[in-house]
Amino acid sequence: SGVRAVDGAGIDQYSGTTAIAATPTVAATLADSATLTISLNSSTPKKTDAVCTGGSSENECDKLSVLVFDMKAEKDSVKITDMNIAVAKAGTGGATASTTVYLYEGSSSTPLANATVGSLNTAVFSDLDYTIAKDVTKTFTVKVDIRNANKTISNFTASASSTGITDENSQGDAVTDSGTATGNQVGVLSVGPEF
């Protein structure tokens, strides 16, 4: 019992003529195990239909909310450098999401950035450089402009995923990302009842 150590469970480990079997793993800081988790916010728009009657042709909606999601940083602050937001369309209606997707901080009051929709119906927010402090959850809102709505429904669904994020901890190292947030289907028409 010449050497004694206390393991992570608080149990004494003794070593006389034999070595202590436990092998500790030491990290330089908690920043090395920083994580970022994406989840759907409860205030994301419910499954609904929107009647778009704006514009000179009465078939447009400006900045229609399609997704609200949260991102939480743990064990260190996380700097998001790039983020992808996908906007998918289903249905045979004429409505289209414009080439611009808007990202807001919070429930939609503070504009953060906008990006052009490219391949795979995805908007890439490059050089976002947005930092989430350790153990803080931030909420983001995604909006799109709708054009060319008609009497046939078009359904739009927006999503954000951990696979579409580039980020780093406070030391500039990689972060472990997880989670997805897929909004509810928002149907778009140029005519219909509004309550």
Side-chain angles (χ1 to χ4, degrees):
S1 298
V3 177
R4 184 180 73 171
V6 180
D7 67 15
I11 299 172
D12 289 332
Q13 300 286 337
Y14 295 94
S15 176
T17 58
T18 60
I20 295 176
T23 303
T25 300
V26 179
T29 66
L30 277 177
D32 292 342
S33 55
T35 62
L36 182 75
T37 305
I38 300 175
S39 60
L40 190 66
N41 186 285
S42 61
S43 66
T44 201
K46 306 301 182 193
K47 184 175 180 180
T48 187
D49 291 339
V51 180
C52 293
T53 57
S56 59
S57 299
E58 299 183 349
N59 63 358
E60 300 178 358
C61 283
D62 288 337
K63 296 180 180 174
L64 178 69
S65 291
V66 290
L67 174 65
V68 181
F69 66 99
D70 295 327
M71 290 196 287
K72 182 177 183 180
E74 294 182 283
K75 300 181 181 176
D76 191 21
S77 62
V78 175
K79 179 180 175 182
I80 302 165
T81 56
D82 303 293
M83 182 190 318
N84 296 349
I85 301 292
V87 180
K89 175 190 170 181
T92 58
T96 59
S98 73
T99 57
T100 304
V101 174
Y102 305 91
L103 184 65
Y104 286 75
E105 180 183 19
S107 60
S108 74
S109 58
T110 307
L112 191 60
N114 59 66
T116 301
V117 176
S119 62
L120 303 176
N121 298 319
T122 300
V124 179
F125 293 88
S126 299
D127 301 321
L128 192 58
D129 294 339
Y130 184 90
T131 300
I132 301 175
K134 174 186 173 185
D135 297 327
V136 170
T137 299
K138 287 290 188 178
T139 300
F140 300 89
T141 300
V142 177
K143 297 184 178 185
V144 296
D145 290 336
I146 299 296
R147 299 293 181 259
N148 305 314
N150 59 14
K151 297 177 183 179
T152 304
I153 196 165
S154 296
N155 296 303
F156 294 92
T157 305
S159 61
S161 172
S162 59
T163 58
I165 289 181
T166 304
D167 50 14
E168 59 189 40
N169 63 19
S170 60
Q171 298 177 350
D173 297 325
V175 172
T176 301
D177 301 319
S178 64
T180 61
T182 300
N184 298 306
Q185 197 174 75
V186 178
V188 173
L189 297 151
S190 63
V191 294
E194 292 183 305
F195 300 97

